[in-house]
Amino acid sequence: MKVFIELGGTFIYQFGREHVLDLHEGSTIEDALNILGISERIYIITVRNGSIAKFNDKLKDNDKLVVFPPIGGGN
Amino acid sequence: MEEELEQKYKSITRSVAAIDSQSKVSGALKYITDMRIENMLFASVVRSTYAHARIISIDTREAEKISGVKAILTYKDIPGLNAYGAIVPDAPVLAYDRVRYYGEPVALVAADTEELAREAASLVKIEYDPLPVIRSIDESIASEAIALHDNGNIARHTIIKKGDTERAKREAYMTLDRIYRTPFQKHMFLEPEGGVAYIDESGIINVFAGGQSPYRDKLQIARSLNIPPEKIRTVNYPTGGAFGGKDDITVQIHLALLAYKTGKPVKLWFSREESGVAGYHRTGSEIHLITSVDKEGTLLSNEAQIYLDTGAYQSFGPTILDVSIETINGPYRIPNYIINANLVYTNNGFSSAFRGFGAPESNFAIESMINELASELHLDPIDMRLKNILMTGEEGPFGNTIRHGDGLREALMRAKNSKIWNSVIQNKKPWQRSGVGIAVAIKGVGFGTLPDYPTAAIEIATEGKVKIMFSNVDYGQGINTGNAQLVAEKMDIPLNQVEVRHADTKYSPDTGSSSASRSTFASGNALLLACSKALDRLKMEACFYFGVTSEKLEYKEGRFYYNDRSVGIYELAKSLKARGETLRFESTFEVPRYPAPVEGTLEVPHVVYMYGVLLSSAVLDELIGNIHINQAEFYADIGTVINPSIASGQIEGGIVQGLGYATTEDLKYDVNGKPINNNYTTYIVPSVRDVPDIYVEFIDSLEELGPYGAKGVGEISIIPVGASVAHAVYNASGKWIRDLPLLPWKVI
């Protein structure tokens, strides 16, 4: 299955911005992060198809995953 | 228009009193720093007495001998990452090998009483090897400067270009070359940084602290304690002022660490002086502009070299720099530009977020430049701006499309026709000179191209209330009231049926931080989605109740009607509850953004911008150089105004805070990097006698992406104050002052 991943914030500089991963059925967000080489598991937010998701949530074909560190700006 | 809106809406566009105003005025509301828990310990922070030094040793033995001392912690006691920082974690939780600003935390003490904690803290012996102190941007970027961090002294550098500035300069009628400087500014919130932490029966570490971003704080605490975020609860209400100074970590990690290590409740709060030394401040700036125009005043090019002084660590510095980049061209059509932007480390304390977030710095430069160009060209500065502002549908400087430039045009037209712009001021005394100044402000709402998914929830409580939950903190700006009005409007119920649960990670979903003038836009939109979800579910239940299909129902004032029968939402909620269904409805709003940041930036550009025009009228005393701003007029395009009274209050507050920035506030460090003015006696903020007559006018405006057309309001009015007042002073004195604040010795 294909999963579209967008990284945000400072992750862009380390891992690039857009990725398309070809994953096995049953793969989780954790699996996707491992493939991308993202080891951060605390200071990180994962959003699957517009909703906050957990690392062990399973991905589906054509899912859009957005991964970014907590953000801020413009106070 | 106001009347029309009053007919259109029932709860919004109305100046209802802030829902917590009575409890605040009566003193019934207890702030977090008023909290006391039985058997709690008191904490004190051992701080660096050098602005830059190596730590040779830390000796806690004498301090440990004090009876009543329960814990003395150093960097060795941090289980996880010994670093924090919202964007880049480069600030140690407790310094280990080196200190980089005066007042940097080195050790923590918890004791039975506040006095014992302080005494023990004073007995912690730290041996230092002093290093050269870097006191300015120039010293920091000098080739021989000692490196403050492994990556050198430039924390971030980027260049963004468009067009050909060299060619534009060659073809220009006039090019001005100017350097503008702005100072550090302290937040000076009435409630200094502080909080309380304790571990509850289920092992959760509860951190109650003045803050702006409960979920991000929680993750930063978890990272340093090396425990799962689920084991931490952060509560940020009520907070007595923040202005950006509580957006990043202040006491939260220290509190959680002490509670974690001692197993006891712990309280830590800063005195005014400690806040003055250890709290954050606004970035200082030095901005070099070379700007070209043709004979008619059309802007041709802008070359900007931006240096922001982030102090010892970055905190929000990288994104503050982005906002400076985004606002350095103002709201203007400038076909050619080159922006060379730099975030620089020094030993000048610790810069972080502050209302405006890099925009006041850039605005002072570009708006002063526009005023200087208009003056040189003998053009009316408003006419020159009208000629150059980007209009609706035009392409902005960063490839973005301007959504509502017409609001700014209208604001400028109203300023042009205003009384103070067109009046001749009669000076009361022979030594007085008067002048009126103008500046325009632009500021993005939210985090630009950064992903932003605010989530909020509502709960239909069967006792006749709609409870609303979001993580934006009401630190005085009124978000709780504004959101309650939005929900009352959407649910078509009286405002007193809406109950706000304060920002608390135990109950509130993650709506993100209270910053970037985003709270109304972010949580407002998420709450409206949650309301729609709730109404959809309740409507289905009403169909079941009446035995009809949904199109036959009408919803009004909290009730579904079918012919002459009706049923209320709370009654329907009871039947849902009886079946074990949830009455909580949660929704996430995906904040619209451009797909990718402009190359070289993290978050530029924004989709939605606020605009404002500030006229200020200054009276200059030529004998002593004192400046008094006696009138200010602000024309704001902030979209639909949810609560005009609160929004006006925000604008007035921003102007007054900006007047301090422009005229008196000047945080200084001595030769050793120690802050000189760290309290209200020496750091001069405006008092009530300095507050001018302020007139606020809202432009009729509607931002389709915002909740009922709202944008944001928190920051816009502070941004143009420096340039507007400097222009007024020029018109009074004939002297351009290019470094804030406008202190008497600079004016005469």
Side-chain angles (χ1 to χ4, degrees), chain B residues 329-351:
Chain B
N329 287 328
Y332 305 116
R333 192 183 302 110
I334 304 182
N336 307 287
Y337 65 78
I338 175 163
I339 305 166
N340 178 330
N342 304 277
L343 185 72
V344 176
Y345 290 121
T346 65
N347 297 117
N348 292 325
F350 194 169
S351 300

Side-chain angles (χ1 to χ4, degrees), chain B residues 636-686:
Chain B
D637 173 7
I638 59 166
T640 300
V641 184
I642 304 299
N643 184 319
S645 162
I646 290 178
S648 296
Q650 281 276 59
I651 286 176
E652 290 163 14
I655 290 171
V656 175
Q657 200 166 33
L659 286 176
Y661 184 52
T663 60
T664 58
E665 296 181 39
D666 195 15
L667 180 65
K668 286 287 184 200
Y669 291 85
D670 70 13
V671 287
N672 298 313
K674 181 181 176 183
I676 296 167
N677 42 353
N678 60 4
N679 58 36
Y680 281 112
T681 311
T682 51
Y683 183 88
I684 311 299
V685 297

Side-chain angles (χ1 to χ4, degrees), chain B residues 717-728:
Chain B
S717 70
I718 195 173
I719 294 167
V721 182
S724 176
V725 172
H727 188 217

Side-chain angles (χ1 to χ4, degrees), chain B residues 377-439:
Chain B
L377 292 165
H378 305 290
L379 291 174
D380 179 293
I382 295 184
D383 288 342
M384 181 166 162
R385 286 176 168 88
L386 283 167
K387 188 187 286 275
N388 286 289
I389 56 168
L390 287 157
M391 293 303 295
T392 307
E394 275 194 76
E395 186 182 315
F398 304 102
N400 50 320
T401 303
I402 302 300
R403 292 176 55 79
H404 289 293
D406 43 348
L408 174 57
R409 186 183 160 75
E410 175 65 21
L412 277 165
M413 291 304 294
R414 292 198 198 179
K416 191 176 157 104
N417 295 323
S418 73
K419 228 182 214 173
I420 70 168
W421 188 250
N422 293 294
S423 62
V424 178
I425 304 162
Q426 300 297 325
N427 295 312
K428 288 182 184 153
K429 307 283 183 196
W431 55 83
Q432 287 179 341
R433 296 286 176 269
S434 303
V436 176
I438 183 172

Side-chain angles (χ1 to χ4, degrees), chain A residues 6-13 17-18 40-52 54-55 64-75, chain B residues 85-87 212 216 219-220 222-223 229 244 247 316 319 353-357 443 447 450-451 453 455 514-517 588 593 595-596 601-603 715:
Chain A
E6 182 195 345
L7 304 186
T10 48
F11 285 164
I12 294 175
Y13 298 115
R17 201 174 70 81
E18 285 183 326
E40 178 63 60
R41 289 295 181 274
I42 294 179
Y43 204 64
I44 185 169
I45 296 171
T46 49
V47 174
R48 188 173 69 107
N49 302 331
S51 296
I52 305 291
K54 294 186 177 126
F55 299 135
K64 166 94 190 276
L65 183 66
V66 186
V67 180
F68 51 98
I71 48 173
N75 294 268
Chain B
I87 308 291
Q212 296 178 233
R216 195 179 54 231
L219 296 188
Q220 294 215 59
R223 190 166 60 174
D247 199 3
F316 287 100
T319 44
F354 197 138
R355 198 178 201 170
F357 205 80
K443 173 75 179 54
F447 303 144
L450 291 170
Y453 294 85
T455 307
S514 291
S515 64
S517 302
T588 300
R593 58 192 165 103
T601 73
L602 283 163
E603 59 162 278
E715 299 167 289

Side-chain angles (χ1 to χ4, degrees), chain B residues 149-276:
Chain B
H149 289 266
D150 291 344
N151 57 343
N153 288 348
I154 298 192
R156 185 174 168 227
H157 162 72
T158 185
I159 294 179
I160 300 119
K161 288 181 195 180
K162 187 182 174 188
D164 183 347
T165 57
E166 289 302 326
R167 187 175 156 189
K169 280 192 292 184
R170 279 197 304 275
E171 292 170 0
Y173 173 72
M174 183 186 289
T175 298
L176 291 188
D177 183 329
R178 300 283 186 264
I179 294 174
Y180 299 94
R181 293 184 180 88
T182 59
F184 301 116
Q185 185 183 21
K186 292 296 289 186
H187 305 82
M188 302 304 274
F189 20 67
L190 288 176
E191 182 189 40
E193 300 86 340
V196 176
Y198 64 92
I199 302 178
D200 63 25
E201 317 78 54
S202 53
I204 304 285
I205 303 176
N206 292 260
V207 182
F208 286 65
Q212 296 178 233
S213 185
Y215 276 88
R216 195 179 54 231
D217 292 350
K218 174 172 155 153
L219 296 188
Q220 294 215 59
I221 296 166
R223 190 166 60 174
S224 289
L225 267 60
N226 199 23
I227 59 175
E230 303 79 61
K231 289 278 180 193
I232 296 160
R233 171 192 178 199
T234 50
V235 184
N236 289 130
Y237 188 82
T239 291
F243 309 115
K246 296 175 183 171
D247 199 3
D248 209 339
I249 290 293
T250 57
V251 295
Q252 294 87 342
I253 299 177
H254 290 164
L255 274 172
L257 192 62
L258 283 166
Y260 182 64
K261 291 284 180 181
T262 62
K264 290 194 156 195
V266 184
K267 180 170 184 172
L268 169 62
W269 78 103
F270 293 176
S271 66
R272 178 59 55 190
E273 284 73 15
E274 193 171 10
S275 177

